[in-house]
């Protein structure tokens, strides 16, 4: 599944006589979206309801509702063979809806749950990726099968599934013990207090060994939790309990996804997305801690999935309520806000979402009725090492971490437009109040060891290096270069006395966290894959700085007054390739047929960021009457003219749009706004946005130029064109 960096924006043409307007939707950041990815089913044949991958990222199982085509309620994707295979769990036509799926890493199978009718053997099945077969669990007595409608399913650390649904007698929660502890049988968990009317979502928290279940009671949605497995399994005397926090919402809680590293869950529901903490039991009543992320009634949220390689990024899908657009959002543990990733319009519904492991390649996969959606996800890894260096003053270790004491990001790529901490542990026998810490970081240009050096602090290196300085005595923390807090920004330093009195009562160690915000155009660096086994940090550049095409950094702690009393160490990290774009302006005009070329007011204004070499392209289709493809009346795309108005577009090697030119006669053909065949525009070296070669939001004000790309549009409405409304889609693509 190839991941394109494409932003599609709409042209809307409103005609009075023969008039039209070009309206461009705004996408806050290019999330490397690919739409209409090929899947096994044809558009409209199948409605996906849930999706899961195995831990190796080689098998994907999508469950849902059969509509037409192959008689299937389960589709399985084999990543190695690049094939989709349909399955009919119960063997009847039409098959019952399958509503939930989860992966069991203990037995390397997928548990599948759904609806049941009397002619089917079970309502829960399993898919075996080795045998490529569907089966269903039977208790040891040979007759114990589950025949209850299930809406969701999850399994515990032993691989025992808990299916949740409707029409139960005590809780609507059904647990199958396949680990021999309970003699391999189904049983329904009893509910101690509030009996749920229906349950819609479930996940297992490995931190406290409990299942958490979302459902309905008295037309409100709420949560339940089970007894803890305590390292074992649930039993026939285990119970479920209602959340005592009284955090009730209308509608349904559609999905829960537990962040196992940070011990909280994201909960997707009708008109709201929430953060839920694990239960705290006080006086025999359990309380979950709730935080509202989005609850303004603008969206319905249907599903959540975490990137389990680092547990920092979550993918969320749902629907805008008005208009009813299919939506995908991103959410970061390190930046806990909802970020729009993709608007799929109103032609489809995104019911479920997954994150394909492992780290390479991994991506967000959204199966939908009309095809798949793929979005790039950032790599995240966790590693750290502690060594000691007794040189005066003493520096025990250095690090590059997620903020707030988060995971190490040394020797791995990280996204820009995000906060990170440079960290260290140190002490000083002459008094901690006399220290200062300087951090220098730079792009190594493919050089290793002592050949990698911090560059000159010029305007041409502002996205290629930075220098930070913290002074303990004054509390001052500044970005010494580049100045102006544009490309990088400082936060507030955290200095924590460890009170460990090591190695003597006068030398307690301190852990220092120096936060820094990396701007959008900090240069991409892949670390050449980053080697395995080399130290995270060392005083010797020839030991620590072995990964070429990375960001190298130095942490130096010294006496503020006697700077020769110092110690230092080196480390490396990488930067993800990233682009973002913001488009505004609604080109519009009126022209009678046969009037010749007519300029449109309100040009397209494109503001973008990139941290790698790139091209910017534009393409349009024919403009059909009322936007209906192949309608009898249209304005041909080569009757639409465009020009790049930036001064640096006047060099032919920089743009195809130096002069006003018609769009190609073949619809949807790319034209270079920036760049030429085989010749990209070089990555910007300063600023946080770019406008072609050399011009950024740093130097544009100095040179009295615009820091954005302006496209002027015109149209030639041919004689005989019928009166009407003509519109199509304009696509702006950033490639690297």
């Amino acid at each position: 599944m190839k991941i394109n960096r494409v932003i599609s924006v709409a042209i809307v043409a409103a005609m009075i006589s023969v008039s039209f307007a070009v309206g461009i939707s705004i996408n806050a950041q290019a999330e490397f979206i690919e739409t209409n990815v090929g899947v096994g089913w044809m558009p409209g044949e199948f409605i996906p309801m849930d999706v899961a991958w195995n831990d190796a990222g080689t098998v994907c199982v999508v469950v849902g509702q059969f509509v037409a085509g192959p008689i299937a309620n389960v589709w399985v994707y084999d990543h190695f063979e690049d094939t989709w295979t349909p399955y009919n769990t119960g063997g009847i036509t039409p098959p019952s809806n399958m509503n939930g799926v989860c992966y069991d890493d203990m037995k390397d199978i997928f548990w599948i749950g759904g609806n049941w009718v009397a002619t089917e053997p079970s309502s829960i099945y399993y898919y075996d990726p080795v045998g490529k077969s569907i089966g269903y669990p039977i208790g040891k007595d040979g007759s114990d099968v589950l025949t209850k409608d299930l809406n969701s399913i999850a399994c515990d650390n032993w691989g025992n599934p808990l299916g949740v649904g409707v029409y139960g007698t005590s809780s609507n929660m059904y647990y199958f013990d396949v680990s021999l502890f309970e003699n391999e049988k189904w049983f329904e968990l009893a509910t101690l207090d509030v009996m749920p009317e229906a349950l819609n979502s479930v996940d297992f928290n490995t931190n406290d060994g409990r299942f958490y279940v979302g459902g309905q009671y008295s037309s409100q949605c709420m949560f339940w939790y089970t007894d803890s497995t305590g390292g074992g399994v649930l039993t026939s005397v285990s119970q479920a309990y209602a959340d005592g926090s009284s955090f009730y919402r209308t509608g349904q809680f559609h999905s829960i996804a537990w962040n196992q590293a940070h011990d909280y869950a994201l909960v997707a529901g009708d008109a709201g997305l929430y953060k839920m903490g694990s239960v705290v039991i006080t006086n025999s009543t359990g309380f979950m801690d709730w935080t509202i992320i989005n609850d303004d009634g603008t969206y319905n949220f249907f599903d959540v999935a975490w990137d389990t390689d680092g547990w920092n990024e979550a993918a969320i899908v749902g629907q805008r309520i008005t208009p009813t657009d299919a939506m995908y959002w991103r959410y970061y543990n390190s930046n806990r806000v909802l970020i729009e990733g993709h608007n799929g319009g109103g032609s489809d519904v995104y019911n479920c979402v997954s994150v394909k492991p492992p780290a390479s390649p991994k991506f967000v996969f959204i199966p939908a009725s009309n095809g798949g959606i793929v979005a790039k996800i950032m790599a995240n890894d966790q590693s750290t090492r502690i060594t000691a260096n007794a040189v005066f003053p003493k520096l025990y270790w250095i690090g590059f971490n997620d903020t707030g004491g988060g995971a190490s990001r040394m020797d791995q790529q990280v996204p820009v437009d995000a906060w990170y901490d440079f960290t260290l542990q140190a002490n000083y026998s002459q008094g901690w109040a006399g220290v200062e810490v300087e951090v220098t970081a730079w792009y190594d240009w493919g050089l290793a060891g002592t050949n990698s050096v911090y560059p000159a602090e010029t305007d041409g290196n502002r996205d290629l290096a930075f220098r930070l300085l913290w002074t303990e005595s004054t509390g001052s923390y500044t970005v010494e270069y580049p100045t102006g807090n544009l490309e990088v920004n400082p936060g507030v330093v955290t200095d924590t006395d460890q009170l460990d009195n090591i190695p003597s009562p006068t030398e307690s160690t301190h852990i220092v966290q120096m936060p820094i915000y990396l701007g959008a155009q900090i240069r991409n660096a892949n670390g050449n894959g980053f080697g395995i086994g080399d130290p995270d940090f060392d005083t010797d550049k020839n030991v620590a700085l072995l990964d070429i095409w990375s960001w190298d950094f130095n942490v130096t702690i010294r006496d503020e007054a006697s700077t020769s009393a110092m110690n230092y160490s080196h480390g490396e990290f990488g930067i993800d390739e990233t682009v973002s774009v913001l488009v505004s302006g609604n080109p519009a005009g009126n022209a009678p047929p046969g009037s010749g070329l007519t300029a449109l007011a309100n040009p397209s204004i494109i503001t973008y960021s990139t941290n790698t070499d790139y091209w910017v392209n534009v393409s349009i289709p024919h403009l059909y009457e009322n936007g209906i493809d192949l309608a009898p009346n249209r304005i041909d795309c080569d009757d639409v003219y465009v020009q790049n108005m930036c001064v640096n577009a006047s060099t032919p090697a920089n743009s195809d749009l130096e002069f006003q030119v018609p769009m190609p006669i073949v619809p949807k053909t790319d034209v270079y706004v920036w760049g030429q065949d085989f010749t990209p525009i070089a990555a910007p070296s300063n600023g946080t946005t770019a406008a072609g070669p050399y011009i950024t939001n740093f130097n544009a004000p100095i040179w009295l130029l615009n820091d954005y790309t302006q496209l002027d549009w015109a149209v030639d409405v041919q004689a005989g064109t019928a009166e009407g409304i003509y519109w199509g889609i304009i696509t702006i693509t950033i490639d690297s």
Side-chain angles (χ1 to χ4, degrees):
M1 299 177 184
K2 181 183 177 183
I3 299 176
N4 295 330
R5 302 157 179 84
V6 176
I7 308 239
S8 294
V9 290
I11 295 182
V12 179
M15 304 297 265
I16 304 174
S17 188
V18 180
S19 64
F20 48 88
V22 181
I24 299 181
S25 67
I26 296 174
N27 190 340
Q29 180 167 353
E31 184 51 19
F32 305 161
I33 296 289
E34 182 179 3
T35 60
N36 298 320
V37 173
V39 290
W41 57 92
M42 297 296 291
E45 290 184 344
F46 179 73
I47 301 175
M49 299 302 296
D50 201 6
V51 55
W53 291 84
N54 65 348
D55 286 347
T58 57
V59 178
C60 177
V61 175
V62 182
V63 304
Q65 177 182 345
F66 162 80
V67 179
I71 310 300
N73 53 8
V74 175
W75 284 86
V76 177
Y77 176 70
D78 187 308
H79 186 63
F80 286 139
E81 298 178 1
D82 195 23
T83 57
W84 286 91
T85 304
Y87 292 89
N88 181 350
T89 55
I92 66 171
T93 302
S96 292
N97 298 344
M98 290 294 106
N99 303 315
V101 59
C102 66
Y103 176 65
D104 174 2
D105 60 357
M106 290 290 291
K107 293 175 287 299
D108 189 25
I109 62 174
F110 293 83
W111 291 106
I112 300 168
N115 296 348
W116 175 81
V117 297
T119 54
E120 292 179 300
S122 177
S123 61
I124 187 169
Y125 301 86
Y126 59 83
Y127 173 74
D128 176 9
V130 176
K132 297 185 177 180
S133 61
I134 294 281
Y136 59 92
I138 305 175
K140 271 199 167 183
D141 62 5
S143 63
D144 185 21
V145 296
L146 187 64
T147 56
K148 304 292 185 181
D149 285 351
L150 300 179
N151 293 326
S152 186
I153 192 168
C155 59
D156 60 20
N157 288 335
W158 290 93
N160 302 321
L162 180 72
V164 302
V166 295
Y167 305 130
T169 57
S170 62
S171 75
N172 299 319
M173 305 181 197
Y174 311 95
Y175 185 79
F176 187 73
D177 176 21
V178 291
S179 59
L180 302 181
F181 287 96
E182 276 289 309
N183 202 29
E184 294 189 11
K185 65 180 182 181
W186 285 102
F187 53 84
E188 185 175 5
L189 271 66
T191 302
L192 183 64
D193 35 33
V194 179
M195 165 66 180
E197 298 162 355
L199 299 174
N200 306 300
S201 55
V202 59
D203 199 13
F204 184 75
N205 180 10
T206 61
N207 296 283
D208 64 4
R210 302 180 191 274
F211 288 96
Y212 288 79
V213 185
Q216 290 176 293
Y217 173 76
S218 189
S219 300
Q220 291 184 315
C221 53
M222 57 184 293
F223 256 84
W224 287 259
Y225 62 93
T226 68
D227 283 325
S228 175
T229 59
V233 300
L234 297 179
T235 70
S236 55
V237 297
S238 298
Q239 293 182 322
Y241 311 85
D243 173 21
S245 66
S246 300
F247 187 82
Y248 304 141
R249 289 296 184 269
T250 58
Q252 300 180 12
F253 284 135
H254 294 287
S255 175
I256 172 176
W258 213 272
N259 187 313
Q260 306 294 355
H262 301 284
D263 197 19
Y264 68 86
L266 291 182
V267 176
D270 287 329
L273 180 71
Y274 313 97
K275 174 178 174 283
M276 183 184 76
S278 56
V279 66
V280 175
I281 299 176
T282 304
N283 296 326
S284 301
T285 300
F287 299 89
M288 270 85 100
D289 181 43
W290 291 88
T291 302
I292 296 173
I293 298 173
N294 184 289
D295 198 10
D296 62 7
T298 304
Y299 307 102
N300 290 324
F301 299 92
F302 295 152
D303 198 19
V304 183
W306 282 100
D307 170 19
T308 59
D309 179 25
W311 297 97
N312 187 48
E313 182 170 350
I316 302 152
V317 293
Q319 189 176 55
R320 188 194 307 273
I321 296 175
T322 305
T324 54
D325 294 333
M327 303 292 296
Y328 152 60
W329 299 270
R330 295 171 293 121
Y331 175 92
Y332 294 95
N333 177 70
S334 56
N335 181 27
R336 298 180 180 182
V337 296
L338 195 64
I339 304 170
E340 182 176 326
H342 178 64
N343 184 329
S347 62
D348 211 340
V349 177
Y350 300 159
N351 291 317
C352 53
V353 63
S354 63
V355 178
K356 175 198 171 296
S360 178
K362 66 179 177 182
F363 49 77
V364 172
F365 174 53
I366 306 170
S369 181
N370 291 338
I373 309 296
V374 164
K376 180 181 177 183
I377 193 168
M378 304 304 181
N380 191 349
D381 200 356
Q382 296 187 29
S383 60
T384 187
R385 180 181 301 175
I386 298 178
T387 60
N389 191 321
V391 177
F392 171 84
K394 301 173 183 65
L395 181 61
Y396 292 91
W397 52 260
I398 65 171
F400 178 68
N401 300 75
D402 289 331
T403 55
S408 171
R409 307 309 295 268
M410 303 268 276
D411 294 326
Q412 60 183 281
Q413 289 180 271
V414 300
V416 292
D417 270 337
W419 286 95
Y420 302 96
D421 284 346
F422 287 101
T423 57
L424 67 143
Q425 184 172 15
N427 61 13
Y428 187 29
S429 62
Q430 298 302 303
W432 184 250
V435 303
E436 65 180 15
V437 177
E438 183 179 66
V439 176
T440 54
W442 65 96
Y443 180 65
D444 71 13
W445 288 105
L447 302 175
T450 55
N451 291 321
S452 175
V453 295
Y454 184 76
E457 295 181 346
T458 65
D459 288 349
N461 284 326
R462 292 174 64 95
D463 280 321
L464 298 165
F466 55 87
R467 179 166 57 91
L468 318 175
L469 182 64
W470 172 68
T471 303
E472 199 282 339
S473 61
T474 64
S476 172
Y477 177 45
T478 55
V479 177
E480 298 292 291
Y481 170 82
T483 58
N485 293 344
L486 177 63
E487 291 83 358
V488 292
N489 287 275
V492 177
V493 169
T494 301
D495 173 14
T496 306
D497 189 338
Q498 300 301 290
L499 302 175
D500 47 15
N501 296 328
I502 297 174
S504 70
T506 60
E507 292 187 60
S508 182
T509 67
H510 289 247
I511 292 179
V512 180
Q513 298 164 290
M514 302 171 61
I516 189 70
Y517 188 84
L518 302 182
Q521 295 188 158
I522 295 297
R523 184 63 56 88
N524 164 237
N526 63 18
N528 202 35
F530 286 107
I532 299 175
D534 54 324
D536 286 344
F537 58 87
D538 200 278
T539 57
D540 187 347
K541 280 188 172 184
N542 290 323
V543 174
L545 307 183
L546 300 180
D547 299 306
I548 60 174
W549 303 112
S550 67
W551 274 75
D552 298 342
F553 70 95
N554 168 282
V555 176
T556 296
I557 182 171
R558 59 189 177 227
D559 188 301
E560 179 184 356
S562 302
T563 56
S564 60
M566 48 85 72
N567 193 5
Y568 62 87
S569 194
H570 300 91
E572 297 174 310
F573 62 92
I575 295 291
D576 275 313
E577 177 182 315
T578 306
V579 296
S580 64
V581 64
L582 185 70
V583 184
S584 63
N586 293 287
N590 300 307
S595 60
L597 199 61
T598 301
L600 305 183
N602 304 322
S604 299
I605 303 300
I606 306 170
T607 303
Y608 65 88
S609 301
T610 176
N611 66 354
T612 188
D613 296 351
Y614 67 96
W615 294 265
V616 178
N617 305 312
V618 63
S619 66
I620 64 170
H622 297 312
L623 306 184
Y624 287 97
E625 187 174 10
N626 297 321
I628 301 173
D629 285 350
L630 305 181
N633 297 322
R634 75 185 191 196
I635 296 175
D636 288 343
C637 54
D638 59 330
D639 286 330
V640 179
Y641 289 69
V642 65
Q643 183 177 2
N644 185 341
M645 303 305 295
C646 296
V647 296
N648 47 342
S650 60
T651 302
N654 292 343
S655 176
D656 280 349
L657 305 179
E658 176 187 3
F659 305 104
Q660 186 180 66
V661 297
M663 294 299 290
I665 192 171
V666 178
K668 300 181 181 179
T669 299
D670 282 336
V671 177
Y672 289 110
V673 177
W674 292 116
Q676 289 280 288
D677 281 337
F678 309 109
T679 308
I681 301 298
S685 58
N686 53 48
T688 58
T689 65
Y694 314 119
I695 297 178
T696 68
N697 61 337
F698 166 74
N699 56 37
I702 300 173
W703 298 342
L704 303 180
L705 298 173
N706 294 326
D707 60 0
Y708 53 80
T709 300
Q710 176 175 324
L711 297 184
D712 281 3
W713 296 86
V715 68
D716 184 3
V717 180
Q718 300 296 320
T721 302
E723 179 181 4
I725 299 175
Y726 297 80
W727 60 278
I729 297 292
I730 186 172
T731 300
I732 295 174
T733 307
I734 301 181
D735 286 325
S736 61

